[in-house]
Amino acid sequence: MIVWLIMICEVGFWVLLAAGLATRYLLKMPRLGMVLLLCEPLLEVVLLVVTAIDLKNGAAPDWKHGLAALYIGYTVGHGHRTVKWLDGHAAHRLAGGPPPPKAPQYGKARARHEGAIWLGTLIGGAVATVLLLCAMWYVGDDGDTSSLKAWMFGAWRAVGIHGLIALSYTLWPRKAPEPEPSALPARDPQDVPDLTVRRPGQNEEKV
């Protein structure tokens, strides 16, 4: 049941997102569109409540509950960034707004950008950990919580790997490519012939 609910929440996330953006920019109803976008966090609340009820009814904690915790954590950490990115593209293509700024590609700006994305992953891992700890506390010592611990370990492993990738942009920043040299080599002015000076015998009429 929880797996199906996760799938429904995922589909519902994109359906509400598409409906909110279409209502906001195509139908010219920004308030209603914002209401639809704000309904998205309710999907995670429903998933959290159903997961808690499932555990309360005696279900053994397994991978389904861990997956639900990670899904909620990911939505909290990266959901706002995803909505903001898509909203910028929708405003540009549907409402004639300016094109959204592109992510920086080089130097410290790229490092800061990657660090901000990693911060979302860190927040998602922390949220998932809190939910998993609550589930383990709710089950108590009598239940088998090894699967929840495994999901917690997997969450922080993902945070660590992403952190190393983001750190690499700080330690080894990407450099912007150098401009390509001109096809014609530069020469000193005295080596360039002056075409305005008439040479002897040039353009002279034959008698």
Side-chain angles (χ1 to χ4, degrees), residues 8 38 43 47 49 77 84 86-87 90 106 109 114 120-121 130 147 153 156 158 175 181-182 186-187 189 192 207:
I8 292 173
L38 292 177
L43 298 175
L47 179 60
V49 171
K84 184 178 180 180
L86 290 174
D87 182 71
Y106 310 104
E114 294 295 333
T121 302
V130 170
S147 62
F153 173 76
W156 286 105
K175 296 181 180 180
S182 176
R187 294 185 291 179
V192 180
V207 180

Side-chain angles (χ1 to χ4, degrees), residues 107-124:
K108 295 181 179 179
R110 177 61 183 271
R112 288 192 295 267
H113 175 74
E114 294 295 333
I117 297 178
W118 174 77
L119 182 60
T121 302
L122 178 63
I123 294 174

Side-chain angles (χ1 to χ4, degrees), residues 110-111 114-115 118 160-173:
R110 177 61 183 271
E114 294 295 333
W118 174 77
I161 294 174
H162 190 184
L164 292 176
I165 295 175
L167 182 61
S168 67
Y169 286 92
T170 301
L171 299 179
W172 302 284

Side-chain angles (χ1 to χ4, degrees), residues 39-150:
C39 287
E40 291 181 346
L42 296 178
L43 298 175
E44 279 65 48
V45 174
V46 172
L47 179 60
L48 179 61
V49 171
V50 172
T51 303
I53 293 175
D54 189 51
L55 291 174
K56 185 176 181 179
N57 291 336
D62 55 14
W63 65 272
K64 297 187 295 293
H65 303 94
L67 179 61
L70 259 66
Y71 175 79
I72 295 174
Y74 178 86
T75 304
V76 173
H78 292 285
H80 174 72
R81 180 183 299 274
T82 303
V83 172
K84 184 178 180 180
W85 181 80
L86 290 174
D87 182 71
H89 282 275
H92 171 57
R93 297 185 178 277
L94 302 179
K102 295 182 179 181
Q105 298 295 322
Y106 310 104
K108 295 181 179 179
R110 177 61 183 271
R112 288 192 295 267
H113 175 74
E114 294 295 333
I117 297 178
W118 174 77
L119 182 60
T121 302
L122 178 63
I123 294 174
V127 171
T129 299
V130 170
L131 295 177
L132 291 170
L133 288 175
C134 290
M136 293 167 60
W137 171 81
Y138 184 80
V139 173
D141 298 332
D142 297 333
D144 183 12
T145 58
S146 58
S147 62
L148 299 182
K149 294 178 181 179

